[in-house]
Amino acid sequence: MTGFEDIHGRDESWAVRDRTAHSRTVRTMFARIAGVYDFMNHLLSLNRDRTWRRRVAALTDHDTTQVLDLCAGTGDLALEIMRSGRGRAWIAADFCPEMLVAARGKKGAEKLVLTAADAMVLPLGDGSVDTVTVGFGVRNFADVKRGVEEIARVLRPGGQLLVLDFFRDDPRGKGQAKGVALPLRWLLNTLVPKMGKLVGRDGSAYSYLSHSMGAFMTPSEFAALLDESGFQGAFIDRQTFGIAHIVGARRV
Ligand SMILES: C[S@@+](CC[C@H](N)C(=O)[O-])C[C@H]1O[C@@H](n2cnc3c(N)ncnc32)[C@H](O)[C@@H]1O
């Protein structure tokens, strides 16, 4: 695990260089909402976000050692995996200092290596980790294919990738948002930005959520991308009527 810089105990003056205008927009948006991120997550998802992260933890290999949680934000997914007993070393990496700083005070966070890193260029050697998880992060990548290839690079052969996200609806696709999920999606598109403005005082950040979902891939498209980017055996695990999905695969 060399090359990673642990930011425990540091102030917020460190930063990752913005590689693109898109990175800058995303990073500064999360910096603005870092203080309310957890509260808004639990409120807007009616606490389902906790269940979804627990499911990712349950899917994590029991015998994994090195776990990299990318786009770790305030650390909840990395902490969930650590608490589940999976892994021996956990790196929580994100390019937004303000989000990682919010992770620092949490119970168990002292066991995580909190580090500043851009998912597009990870400071890790080839094949150096056993498991990579990404919670609600891939949708924000400036270049999804490049991000997936970078993850493939740092995963050892046979290592697993688990991606939890809000994907674009694919009403024709198997296991996609249908029926109950569509009205819930509608709420996400209309109510969530309003609540974001009212409670989180940042409507634009929460409109971004529905815009980025609409512009993202369907779970099947993402699974196909994994299959052509150095992974095999991609699977889709539908969460809460298809509001969120976990897409996973193994490094060839
Ligand atoms: C919606 S938050 C998710 C946080 C956490 N994983 C969770 O489950 O709540 C997305 C996070 O991805 C980070 N992020 C987006 N693009 C990134 C990139 N290219 N490299 C590193 N972090 C990135 C953002 O800074 C933000 O903290």
PDB file of all heavy atoms in Angstrom, residues 23 26-27 30-31 37-38 41 49 53 69-77 93-96 99-100 117-120 134-142 164, ligand 1:
ATOM      1  N   SER A  23     -14.101  17.643 -13.249  1.00  0.00           N
ATOM      2  CA  SER A  23     -13.632  17.250 -11.906  1.00  0.00           C
ATOM      3  C   SER A  23     -13.798  18.417 -10.939  1.00  0.00           C
ATOM      4  O   SER A  23     -14.229  18.243  -9.799  1.00  0.00           O
ATOM      5  CB  SER A  23     -12.158  16.877 -11.892  1.00  0.00           C
ATOM      6  OG  SER A  23     -11.855  15.996 -12.897  1.00  0.00           O
ATOM      7  N   VAL A  26     -17.455  18.886  -9.980  1.00  0.00           N
ATOM      8  CA  VAL A  26     -17.933  17.845  -9.063  1.00  0.00           C
ATOM      9  C   VAL A  26     -17.299  18.030  -7.680  1.00  0.00           C
ATOM     10  O   VAL A  26     -17.978  17.997  -6.649  1.00  0.00           O
ATOM     11  CB  VAL A  26     -17.627  16.435  -9.635  1.00  0.00           C
ATOM     12  CG1 VAL A  26     -17.901  15.340  -8.612  1.00  0.00           C
ATOM     13  CG2 VAL A  26     -18.431  16.186 -10.902  1.00  0.00           C
ATOM     14  N   ARG A  27     -15.992  18.248  -7.668  1.00  0.00           N
ATOM     15  CA  ARG A  27     -15.287  18.356  -6.378  1.00  0.00           C
ATOM     16  C   ARG A  27     -15.804  19.543  -5.561  1.00  0.00           C
ATOM     17  O   ARG A  27     -16.069  19.418  -4.362  1.00  0.00           O
ATOM     18  CB  ARG A  27     -13.773  18.487  -6.619  1.00  0.00           C
ATOM     19  CG  ARG A  27     -12.937  18.400  -5.353  1.00  0.00           C
ATOM     20  CD  ARG A  27     -11.466  18.633  -5.641  1.00  0.00           C
ATOM     21  NE  ARG A  27     -11.205  19.871  -6.347  1.00  0.00           N
ATOM     22  CZ  ARG A  27     -11.285  21.083  -5.805  1.00  0.00           C
ATOM     23  NH1 ARG A  27     -11.620  21.215  -4.535  1.00  0.00           N
ATOM     24  NH2 ARG A  27     -11.031  22.153  -6.533  1.00  0.00           N
ATOM     25  N   PHE A  30     -19.260  18.842  -4.056  1.00  0.00           N
ATOM     26  CA  PHE A  30     -19.243  18.021  -2.842  1.00  0.00           C
ATOM     27  C   PHE A  30     -18.621  18.778  -1.669  1.00  0.00           C
ATOM     28  O   PHE A  30     -19.033  18.581  -0.519  1.00  0.00           O
ATOM     29  CB  PHE A  30     -18.565  16.670  -3.096  1.00  0.00           C
ATOM     30  CG  PHE A  30     -19.485  15.703  -3.794  1.00  0.00           C
ATOM     31  CD1 PHE A  30     -19.338  15.423  -5.138  1.00  0.00           C
ATOM     32  CD2 PHE A  30     -20.548  15.123  -3.117  1.00  0.00           C
ATOM     33  CE1 PHE A  30     -20.217  14.564  -5.795  1.00  0.00           C
ATOM     34  CE2 PHE A  30     -21.436  14.264  -3.755  1.00  0.00           C
ATOM     35  CZ  PHE A  30     -21.272  13.982  -5.100  1.00  0.00           C
ATOM     36  N   ALA A  31     -17.674  19.664  -1.966  1.00  0.00           N
ATOM     37  CA  ALA A  31     -17.089  20.466  -0.879  1.00  0.00           C
ATOM     38  C   ALA A  31     -18.182  21.337  -0.238  1.00  0.00           C
ATOM     39  O   ALA A  31     -18.225  21.494   0.984  1.00  0.00           O
ATOM     40  CB  ALA A  31     -15.961  21.346  -1.429  1.00  0.00           C
ATOM     41  N   TYR A  37     -23.991  16.268   3.986  1.00  0.00           N
ATOM     42  CA  TYR A  37     -24.106  15.109   3.084  1.00  0.00           C
ATOM     43  C   TYR A  37     -24.763  13.895   3.761  1.00  0.00           C
ATOM     44  O   TYR A  37     -25.745  13.350   3.255  1.00  0.00           O
ATOM     45  CB  TYR A  37     -22.725  14.738   2.521  1.00  0.00           C
ATOM     46  CG  TYR A  37     -22.789  13.516   1.635  1.00  0.00           C
ATOM     47  CD1 TYR A  37     -23.209  13.615   0.318  1.00  0.00           C
ATOM     48  CD2 TYR A  37     -22.477  12.252   2.132  1.00  0.00           C
ATOM     49  CE1 TYR A  37     -23.312  12.486  -0.492  1.00  0.00           C
ATOM     50  CE2 TYR A  37     -22.570  11.121   1.329  1.00  0.00           C
ATOM     51  CZ  TYR A  37     -22.983  11.247   0.035  1.00  0.00           C
ATOM     52  OH  TYR A  37     -23.096  10.123  -0.759  1.00  0.00           O
ATOM     53  N   ASP A  38     -24.260  13.493   4.925  1.00  0.00           N
ATOM     54  CA  ASP A  38     -24.792  12.286   5.574  1.00  0.00           C
ATOM     55  C   ASP A  38     -26.258  12.474   5.955  1.00  0.00           C
ATOM     56  O   ASP A  38     -27.096  11.608   5.692  1.00  0.00           O
ATOM     57  CB  ASP A  38     -23.989  11.960   6.851  1.00  0.00           C
ATOM     58  CG  ASP A  38     -22.613  11.411   6.525  1.00  0.00           C
ATOM     59  OD1 ASP A  38     -22.389  10.976   5.381  1.00  0.00           O
ATOM     60  OD2 ASP A  38     -21.756  11.427   7.429  1.00  0.00           O
ATOM     61  N   ASN A  41     -28.456  12.392   2.921  1.00  0.00           N
ATOM     62  CA  ASN A  41     -28.504  11.018   2.387  1.00  0.00           C
ATOM     63  C   ASN A  41     -29.541  10.186   3.107  1.00  0.00           C
ATOM     64  O   ASN A  41     -30.373   9.532   2.493  1.00  0.00           O
ATOM     65  CB  ASN A  41     -27.151  10.334   2.651  1.00  0.00           C
ATOM     66  CG  ASN A  41     -26.346  10.193   1.397  1.00  0.00           C
ATOM     67  OD1 ASN A  41     -26.779  10.585   0.333  1.00  0.00           O
ATOM     68  ND2 ASN A  41     -25.169   9.635   1.536  1.00  0.00           N
ATOM     69  N   ASP A  49     -30.083   4.080   2.204  1.00  0.00           N
ATOM     70  CA  ASP A  49     -28.667   4.112   1.828  1.00  0.00           C
ATOM     71  C   ASP A  49     -27.832   3.225   2.745  1.00  0.00           C
ATOM     72  O   ASP A  49     -26.879   2.581   2.320  1.00  0.00           O
ATOM     73  CB  ASP A  49     -28.127   5.554   1.788  1.00  0.00           C
ATOM     74  CG  ASP A  49     -28.207   6.241   3.137  1.00  0.00           C
ATOM     75  OD1 ASP A  49     -29.267   6.159   3.803  1.00  0.00           O
ATOM     76  OD2 ASP A  49     -27.203   6.850   3.546  1.00  0.00           O
ATOM     77  N   ARG A  53     -25.517   0.019   1.491  1.00  0.00           N
ATOM     78  CA  ARG A  53     -24.083  -0.144   1.792  1.00  0.00           C
ATOM     79  C   ARG A  53     -23.830  -1.454   2.517  1.00  0.00           C
ATOM     80  O   ARG A  53     -22.829  -2.125   2.295  1.00  0.00           O
ATOM     81  CB  ARG A  53     -23.562   1.035   2.625  1.00  0.00           C
ATOM     82  CG  ARG A  53     -23.476   2.317   1.839  1.00  0.00           C
ATOM     83  CD  ARG A  53     -22.664   3.386   2.551  1.00  0.00           C
ATOM     84  NE  ARG A  53     -22.969   4.668   1.963  1.00  0.00           N
ATOM     85  CZ  ARG A  53     -23.974   5.440   2.339  1.00  0.00           C
ATOM     86  NH1 ARG A  53     -24.747   5.084   3.338  1.00  0.00           N
ATOM     87  NH2 ARG A  53     -24.200   6.599   1.733  1.00  0.00           N
ATOM     88  N   ASP A  69     -11.819   1.640  -1.113  1.00  0.00           N
ATOM     89  CA  ASP A  69     -13.132   2.245  -1.340  1.00  0.00           C
ATOM     90  C   ASP A  69     -12.895   3.579  -2.038  1.00  0.00           C
ATOM     91  O   ASP A  69     -12.392   4.521  -1.438  1.00  0.00           O
ATOM     92  CB  ASP A  69     -13.889   2.434  -0.014  1.00  0.00           C
ATOM     93  CG  ASP A  69     -15.284   3.012  -0.256  1.00  0.00           C
ATOM     94  OD1 ASP A  69     -15.928   2.614  -1.252  1.00  0.00           O
ATOM     95  OD2 ASP A  69     -15.719   3.865   0.526  1.00  0.00           O
ATOM     96  N   LEU A  70     -13.279   3.607  -3.307  1.00  0.00           N
ATOM     97  CA  LEU A  70     -13.067   4.812  -4.120  1.00  0.00           C
ATOM     98  C   LEU A  70     -14.256   5.745  -4.000  1.00  0.00           C
ATOM     99  O   LEU A  70     -15.380   5.281  -3.825  1.00  0.00           O
ATOM    100  CB  LEU A  70     -12.956   4.407  -5.582  1.00  0.00           C
ATOM    101  CG  LEU A  70     -11.582   4.183  -6.165  1.00  0.00           C
ATOM    102  CD1 LEU A  70     -11.718   3.929  -7.659  1.00  0.00           C
ATOM    103  CD2 LEU A  70     -10.699   5.393  -5.932  1.00  0.00           C
ATOM    104  N   CYS A  71     -14.003   7.043  -4.183  1.00  0.00           N
ATOM    105  CA  CYS A  71     -15.086   8.030  -4.048  1.00  0.00           C
ATOM    106  C   CYS A  71     -15.720   7.847  -2.674  1.00  0.00           C
ATOM    107  O   CYS A  71     -16.952   7.824  -2.533  1.00  0.00           O
ATOM    108  CB  CYS A  71     -16.123   7.882  -5.146  1.00  0.00           C
ATOM    109  SG  CYS A  71     -15.439   8.048  -6.794  1.00  0.00           S
ATOM    110  N   ALA A  72     -14.871   7.681  -1.678  1.00  0.00           N
ATOM    111  CA  ALA A  72     -15.306   7.258  -0.344  1.00  0.00           C
ATOM    112  C   ALA A  72     -16.108   8.313   0.384  1.00  0.00           C
ATOM    113  O   ALA A  72     -16.845   7.997   1.328  1.00  0.00           O
ATOM    114  CB  ALA A  72     -14.086   6.886   0.481  1.00  0.00           C
ATOM    115  N   GLY A  73     -15.968   9.566  -0.008  1.00  0.00           N
ATOM    116  CA  GLY A  73     -16.752  10.636   0.610  1.00  0.00           C
ATOM    117  C   GLY A  73     -16.562  10.672   2.107  1.00  0.00           C
ATOM    118  O   GLY A  73     -15.432  10.738   2.620  1.00  0.00           O
ATOM    119  N   THR A  74     -17.663  10.573   2.852  1.00  0.00           N
ATOM    120  CA  THR A  74     -17.610  10.675   4.309  1.00  0.00           C
ATOM    121  C   THR A  74     -17.346   9.308   4.963  1.00  0.00           C
ATOM    122  O   THR A  74     -17.543   9.160   6.165  1.00  0.00           O
ATOM    123  CB  THR A  74     -18.913  11.288   4.849  1.00  0.00           C
ATOM    124  OG1 THR A  74     -20.006  10.470   4.396  1.00  0.00           O
ATOM    125  CG2 THR A  74     -19.131  12.705   4.336  1.00  0.00           C
ATOM    126  N   GLY A  75     -16.949   8.333   4.169  1.00  0.00           N
ATOM    127  CA  GLY A  75     -16.400   7.077   4.701  1.00  0.00           C
ATOM    128  C   GLY A  75     -17.392   5.974   5.053  1.00  0.00           C
ATOM    129  O   GLY A  75     -16.975   4.902   5.496  1.00  0.00           O
ATOM    130  N   ASP A  76     -18.684   6.201   4.833  1.00  0.00           N
ATOM    131  CA  ASP A  76     -19.658   5.227   5.348  1.00  0.00           C
ATOM    132  C   ASP A  76     -19.535   3.835   4.734  1.00  0.00           C
ATOM    133  O   ASP A  76     -19.737   2.839   5.429  1.00  0.00           O
ATOM    134  CB  ASP A  76     -21.095   5.744   5.171  1.00  0.00           C
ATOM    135  CG  ASP A  76     -21.456   6.770   6.239  1.00  0.00           C
ATOM    136  OD1 ASP A  76     -20.609   7.017   7.129  1.00  0.00           O
ATOM    137  OD2 ASP A  76     -22.564   7.330   6.177  1.00  0.00           O
ATOM    138  N   LEU A  77     -19.216   3.748   3.447  1.00  0.00           N
ATOM    139  CA  LEU A  77     -19.123   2.421   2.834  1.00  0.00           C
ATOM    140  C   LEU A  77     -17.875   1.682   3.335  1.00  0.00           C
ATOM    141  O   LEU A  77     -17.945   0.507   3.697  1.00  0.00           O
ATOM    142  CB  LEU A  77     -19.127   2.530   1.297  1.00  0.00           C
ATOM    143  CG  LEU A  77     -19.073   1.210   0.541  1.00  0.00           C
ATOM    144  CD1 LEU A  77     -20.180   0.253   0.980  1.00  0.00           C
ATOM    145  CD2 LEU A  77     -19.162   1.441  -0.963  1.00  0.00           C
ATOM    146  N   ALA A  93     -10.532   6.533  -0.425  1.00  0.00           N
ATOM    147  CA  ALA A  93      -9.918   7.568  -1.273  1.00  0.00           C
ATOM    148  C   ALA A  93     -10.977   8.440  -1.929  1.00  0.00           C
ATOM    149  O   ALA A  93     -12.015   7.950  -2.382  1.00  0.00           O
ATOM    150  CB  ALA A  93      -9.066   6.901  -2.355  1.00  0.00           C
ATOM    151  N   ASP A  94     -10.695   9.725  -1.974  1.00  0.00           N
ATOM    152  CA  ASP A  94     -11.632  10.673  -2.586  1.00  0.00           C
ATOM    153  C   ASP A  94     -10.833  11.906  -3.007  1.00  0.00           C
ATOM    154  O   ASP A  94      -9.774  12.183  -2.441  1.00  0.00           O
ATOM    155  CB  ASP A  94     -12.691  11.086  -1.557  1.00  0.00           C
ATOM    156  CG  ASP A  94     -13.940  11.671  -2.191  1.00  0.00           C
ATOM    157  OD1 ASP A  94     -13.878  12.812  -2.706  1.00  0.00           O
ATOM    158  OD2 ASP A  94     -14.986  10.998  -2.193  1.00  0.00           O
ATOM    159  N   PHE A  95     -11.322  12.630  -4.017  1.00  0.00           N
ATOM    160  CA  PHE A  95     -10.589  13.840  -4.420  1.00  0.00           C
ATOM    161  C   PHE A  95     -11.129  15.108  -3.758  1.00  0.00           C
ATOM    162  O   PHE A  95     -10.679  16.199  -4.081  1.00  0.00           O
ATOM    163  CB  PHE A  95     -10.475  13.961  -5.939  1.00  0.00           C
ATOM    164  CG  PHE A  95     -11.738  14.231  -6.742  1.00  0.00           C
ATOM    165  CD1 PHE A  95     -12.943  14.535  -6.152  1.00  0.00           C
ATOM    166  CD2 PHE A  95     -11.661  14.215  -8.138  1.00  0.00           C
ATOM    167  CE1 PHE A  95     -14.072  14.800  -6.911  1.00  0.00           C
ATOM    168  CE2 PHE A  95     -12.786  14.472  -8.917  1.00  0.00           C
ATOM    169  CZ  PHE A  95     -13.991  14.763  -8.284  1.00  0.00           C
ATOM    170  N   CYS A  96     -12.070  14.936  -2.825  1.00  0.00           N
ATOM    171  CA  CYS A  96     -12.643  16.112  -2.156  1.00  0.00           C
ATOM    172  C   CYS A  96     -12.243  16.111  -0.678  1.00  0.00           C
ATOM    173  O   CYS A  96     -12.783  15.342   0.116  1.00  0.00           O
ATOM    174  CB  CYS A  96     -14.158  16.087  -2.313  1.00  0.00           C
ATOM    175  SG  CYS A  96     -14.964  17.456  -1.474  1.00  0.00           S
ATOM    176  N   MET A  99     -15.016  16.251   2.089  1.00  0.00           N
ATOM    177  CA  MET A  99     -15.786  15.019   2.341  1.00  0.00           C
ATOM    178  C   MET A  99     -14.993  14.073   3.246  1.00  0.00           C
ATOM    179  O   MET A  99     -15.529  13.528   4.214  1.00  0.00           O
ATOM    180  CB  MET A  99     -16.122  14.322   1.015  1.00  0.00           C
ATOM    181  CG  MET A  99     -17.140  15.055   0.172  1.00  0.00           C
ATOM    182  SD  MET A  99     -18.830  15.025   0.829  1.00  0.00           S
ATOM    183  CE  MET A  99     -19.429  13.440   0.257  1.00  0.00           C
ATOM    184  N   LEU A 100     -13.710  13.889   2.955  1.00  0.00           N
ATOM    185  CA  LEU A 100     -12.907  12.966   3.763  1.00  0.00           C
ATOM    186  C   LEU A 100     -12.739  13.466   5.192  1.00  0.00           C
ATOM    187  O   LEU A 100     -12.720  12.665   6.129  1.00  0.00           O
ATOM    188  CB  LEU A 100     -11.520  12.777   3.129  1.00  0.00           C
ATOM    189  CG  LEU A 100     -11.428  11.845   1.931  1.00  0.00           C
ATOM    190  CD1 LEU A 100      -9.987  11.778   1.447  1.00  0.00           C
ATOM    191  CD2 LEU A 100     -11.931  10.440   2.259  1.00  0.00           C
ATOM    192  N   ALA A 117      -7.152  11.185  -3.557  1.00  0.00           N
ATOM    193  CA  ALA A 117      -6.764  10.588  -4.839  1.00  0.00           C
ATOM    194  C   ALA A 117      -7.887  10.773  -5.846  1.00  0.00           C
ATOM    195  O   ALA A 117      -9.060  10.734  -5.494  1.00  0.00           O
ATOM    196  CB  ALA A 117      -6.471   9.101  -4.663  1.00  0.00           C
ATOM    197  N   ASP A 118      -7.488  10.974  -7.092  1.00  0.00           N
ATOM    198  CA  ASP A 118      -8.454  11.040  -8.184  1.00  0.00           C
ATOM    199  C   ASP A 118      -8.578   9.641  -8.774  1.00  0.00           C
ATOM    200  O   ASP A 118      -7.560   9.014  -9.120  1.00  0.00           O
ATOM    201  CB  ASP A 118      -7.956  12.036  -9.247  1.00  0.00           C
ATOM    202  CG  ASP A 118      -8.996  12.296 -10.324  1.00  0.00           C
ATOM    203  OD1 ASP A 118      -9.812  11.393 -10.611  1.00  0.00           O
ATOM    204  OD2 ASP A 118      -8.985  13.405 -10.879  1.00  0.00           O
ATOM    205  N   ALA A 119      -9.797   9.158  -8.883  1.00  0.00           N
ATOM    206  CA  ALA A 119     -10.030   7.799  -9.376  1.00  0.00           C
ATOM    207  C   ALA A 119      -9.491   7.589 -10.790  1.00  0.00           C
ATOM    208  O   ALA A 119      -9.264   6.446 -11.204  1.00  0.00           O
ATOM    209  CB  ALA A 119     -11.529   7.502  -9.351  1.00  0.00           C
ATOM    210  N   MET A 120      -9.266   8.674 -11.519  1.00  0.00           N
ATOM    211  CA  MET A 120      -8.774   8.541 -12.898  1.00  0.00           C
ATOM    212  C   MET A 120      -7.286   8.179 -12.942  1.00  0.00           C
ATOM    213  O   MET A 120      -6.801   7.642 -13.940  1.00  0.00           O
ATOM    214  CB  MET A 120      -8.962   9.857 -13.676  1.00  0.00           C
ATOM    215  CG  MET A 120     -10.399  10.301 -13.813  1.00  0.00           C
ATOM    216  SD  MET A 120     -11.343   9.141 -14.819  1.00  0.00           S
ATOM    217  CE  MET A 120     -12.739   8.888 -13.773  1.00  0.00           C
ATOM    218  N   VAL A 134     -17.120   1.137  -4.934  1.00  0.00           N
ATOM    219  CA  VAL A 134     -17.409   2.537  -5.262  1.00  0.00           C
ATOM    220  C   VAL A 134     -18.890   2.782  -4.969  1.00  0.00           C
ATOM    221  O   VAL A 134     -19.749   2.164  -5.605  1.00  0.00           O
ATOM    222  CB  VAL A 134     -17.142   2.885  -6.750  1.00  0.00           C
ATOM    223  CG1 VAL A 134     -17.080   4.403  -6.930  1.00  0.00           C
ATOM    224  CG2 VAL A 134     -15.897   2.216  -7.291  1.00  0.00           C
ATOM    225  N   GLY A 135     -19.177   3.647  -4.014  1.00  0.00           N
ATOM    226  CA  GLY A 135     -20.570   3.948  -3.667  1.00  0.00           C
ATOM    227  C   GLY A 135     -20.965   5.298  -4.207  1.00  0.00           C
ATOM    228  O   GLY A 135     -20.422   6.319  -3.787  1.00  0.00           O
ATOM    229  N   PHE A 136     -21.886   5.331  -5.129  1.00  0.00           N
ATOM    230  CA  PHE A 136     -22.419   6.577  -5.694  1.00  0.00           C
ATOM    231  C   PHE A 136     -21.318   7.492  -6.231  1.00  0.00           C
ATOM    232  O   PHE A 136     -21.390   8.714  -6.075  1.00  0.00           O
ATOM    233  CB  PHE A 136     -23.266   7.330  -4.645  1.00  0.00           C
ATOM    234  CG  PHE A 136     -24.296   6.459  -4.005  1.00  0.00           C
ATOM    235  CD1 PHE A 136     -24.187   6.082  -2.667  1.00  0.00           C
ATOM    236  CD2 PHE A 136     -25.355   5.973  -4.741  1.00  0.00           C
ATOM    237  CE1 PHE A 136     -25.130   5.251  -2.080  1.00  0.00           C
ATOM    238  CE2 PHE A 136     -26.307   5.137  -4.163  1.00  0.00           C
ATOM    239  CZ  PHE A 136     -26.198   4.780  -2.823  1.00  0.00           C
ATOM    240  N   GLY A 137     -20.305   6.880  -6.827  1.00  0.00           N
ATOM    241  CA  GLY A 137     -19.178   7.673  -7.318  1.00  0.00           C
ATOM    242  C   GLY A 137     -18.974   7.574  -8.817  1.00  0.00           C
ATOM    243  O   GLY A 137     -18.662   8.566  -9.477  1.00  0.00           O
ATOM    244  N   VAL A 138     -19.178   6.390  -9.395  1.00  0.00           N
ATOM    245  CA  VAL A 138     -18.844   6.184 -10.814  1.00  0.00           C
ATOM    246  C   VAL A 138     -19.646   7.142 -11.702  1.00  0.00           C
ATOM    247  O   VAL A 138     -19.135   7.654 -12.701  1.00  0.00           O
ATOM    248  CB  VAL A 138     -19.099   4.703 -11.218  1.00  0.00           C
ATOM    249  CG1 VAL A 138     -18.964   4.516 -12.714  1.00  0.00           C
ATOM    250  CG2 VAL A 138     -18.120   3.790 -10.493  1.00  0.00           C
ATOM    251  N   ARG A 139     -20.889   7.385 -11.306  1.00  0.00           N
ATOM    252  CA  ARG A 139     -21.768   8.305 -12.060  1.00  0.00           C
ATOM    253  C   ARG A 139     -21.127   9.689 -12.228  1.00  0.00           C
ATOM    254  O   ARG A 139     -21.462  10.431 -13.147  1.00  0.00           O
ATOM    255  CB  ARG A 139     -23.100   8.413 -11.301  1.00  0.00           C
ATOM    256  CG  ARG A 139     -24.160   9.215 -11.933  1.00  0.00           C
ATOM    257  CD  ARG A 139     -25.490   8.989 -11.217  1.00  0.00           C
ATOM    258  NE  ARG A 139     -25.378   8.606  -9.827  1.00  0.00           N
ATOM    259  CZ  ARG A 139     -25.286   9.462  -8.813  1.00  0.00           C
ATOM    260  NH1 ARG A 139     -25.305  10.757  -9.038  1.00  0.00           N
ATOM    261  NH2 ARG A 139     -25.180   9.032  -7.568  1.00  0.00           N
ATOM    262  N   ASN A 140     -20.210  10.020 -11.312  1.00  0.00           N
ATOM    263  CA  ASN A 140     -19.581  11.343 -11.365  1.00  0.00           C
ATOM    264  C   ASN A 140     -18.295  11.377 -12.171  1.00  0.00           C
ATOM    265  O   ASN A 140     -17.704  12.450 -12.339  1.00  0.00           O
ATOM    266  CB  ASN A 140     -19.238  11.815  -9.940  1.00  0.00           C
ATOM    267  CG  ASN A 140     -20.437  11.845  -9.044  1.00  0.00           C
ATOM    268  OD1 ASN A 140     -21.364  12.601  -9.282  1.00  0.00           O
ATOM    269  ND2 ASN A 140     -20.444  11.010  -8.008  1.00  0.00           N
ATOM    270  N   PHE A 141     -17.830  10.222 -12.619  1.00  0.00           N
ATOM    271  CA  PHE A 141     -16.542  10.192 -13.323  1.00  0.00           C
ATOM    272  C   PHE A 141     -16.612  11.028 -14.598  1.00  0.00           C
ATOM    273  O   PHE A 141     -17.586  10.937 -15.356  1.00  0.00           O
ATOM    274  CB  PHE A 141     -16.160   8.763 -13.728  1.00  0.00           C
ATOM    275  CG  PHE A 141     -15.659   7.899 -12.596  1.00  0.00           C
ATOM    276  CD1 PHE A 141     -15.310   6.565 -12.825  1.00  0.00           C
ATOM    277  CD2 PHE A 141     -15.524   8.391 -11.309  1.00  0.00           C
ATOM    278  CE1 PHE A 141     -14.849   5.757 -11.799  1.00  0.00           C
ATOM    279  CE2 PHE A 141     -15.068   7.586 -10.276  1.00  0.00           C
ATOM    280  CZ  PHE A 141     -14.732   6.273 -10.530  1.00  0.00           C
ATOM    281  N   ALA A 142     -15.524  11.761 -14.870  1.00  0.00           N
ATOM    282  CA  ALA A 142     -15.448  12.532 -16.112  1.00  0.00           C
ATOM    283  C   ALA A 142     -15.438  11.568 -17.301  1.00  0.00           C
ATOM    284  O   ALA A 142     -15.975  11.871 -18.365  1.00  0.00           O
ATOM    285  CB  ALA A 142     -14.185  13.389 -16.105  1.00  0.00           C
ATOM    286  N   LEU A 164     -21.979   0.481  -6.330  1.00  0.00           N
ATOM    287  CA  LEU A 164     -23.349   0.823  -5.920  1.00  0.00           C
ATOM    288  C   LEU A 164     -23.673   2.188  -6.496  1.00  0.00           C
ATOM    289  O   LEU A 164     -22.901   3.138  -6.320  1.00  0.00           O
ATOM    290  CB  LEU A 164     -23.412   0.869  -4.389  1.00  0.00           C
ATOM    291  CG  LEU A 164     -24.630   1.533  -3.742  1.00  0.00           C
ATOM    292  CD1 LEU A 164     -25.910   0.732  -4.012  1.00  0.00           C
ATOM    293  CD2 LEU A 164     -24.410   1.659  -2.223  1.00  0.00           C
TER     294      LEU A 164
HETATM  295  C1  LIG B   1     -22.164  10.845  -3.761  1.00  0.00           C
HETATM  296  S1  LIG B   1     -20.606  10.873  -2.961  1.00  0.00           S
HETATM  297  C2  LIG B   1     -20.503   9.220  -2.366  1.00  0.00           C
HETATM  298  C3  LIG B   1     -19.804   9.077  -1.042  1.00  0.00           C
HETATM  299  C4  LIG B   1     -19.802   7.693  -0.433  1.00  0.00           C
HETATM  300  N1  LIG B   1     -19.156   6.722  -1.284  1.00  0.00           N
HETATM  301  C5  LIG B   1     -21.190   7.209  -0.073  1.00  0.00           C
HETATM  302  O1  LIG B   1     -21.467   6.021  -0.221  1.00  0.00           O
HETATM  303  O2  LIG B   1     -21.978   8.016   0.438  1.00  0.00           O
HETATM  304  C6  LIG B   1     -19.519  10.860  -4.328  1.00  0.00           C
HETATM  305  C7  LIG B   1     -18.081  11.104  -3.950  1.00  0.00           C
HETATM  306  O3  LIG B   1     -17.278  10.812  -5.089  1.00  0.00           O
HETATM  307  C8  LIG B   1     -16.182  11.707  -5.100  1.00  0.00           C
HETATM  308  N2  LIG B   1     -15.630  11.689  -6.462  1.00  0.00           N
HETATM  309  C9  LIG B   1     -16.258  11.953  -7.621  1.00  0.00           C
HETATM  310  N3  LIG B   1     -15.426  11.794  -8.665  1.00  0.00           N
HETATM  311  C10 LIG B   1     -14.231  11.412  -8.148  1.00  0.00           C
HETATM  312  C11 LIG B   1     -12.965  11.091  -8.717  1.00  0.00           C
HETATM  313  N4  LIG B   1     -12.737  11.164 -10.032  1.00  0.00           N
HETATM  314  N5  LIG B   1     -11.965  10.731  -7.898  1.00  0.00           N
HETATM  315  C12 LIG B   1     -12.159  10.665  -6.563  1.00  0.00           C
HETATM  316  N6  LIG B   1     -13.326  10.978  -5.955  1.00  0.00           N
HETATM  317  C13 LIG B   1     -14.355  11.333  -6.742  1.00  0.00           C
HETATM  318  C14 LIG B   1     -16.796  13.018  -4.644  1.00  0.00           C
HETATM  319  O4  LIG B   1     -15.826  13.908  -4.142  1.00  0.00           O
HETATM  320  C15 LIG B   1     -17.768  12.544  -3.563  1.00  0.00           C
HETATM  321  O5  LIG B   1     -17.177  12.556  -2.290  1.00  0.00           O
END
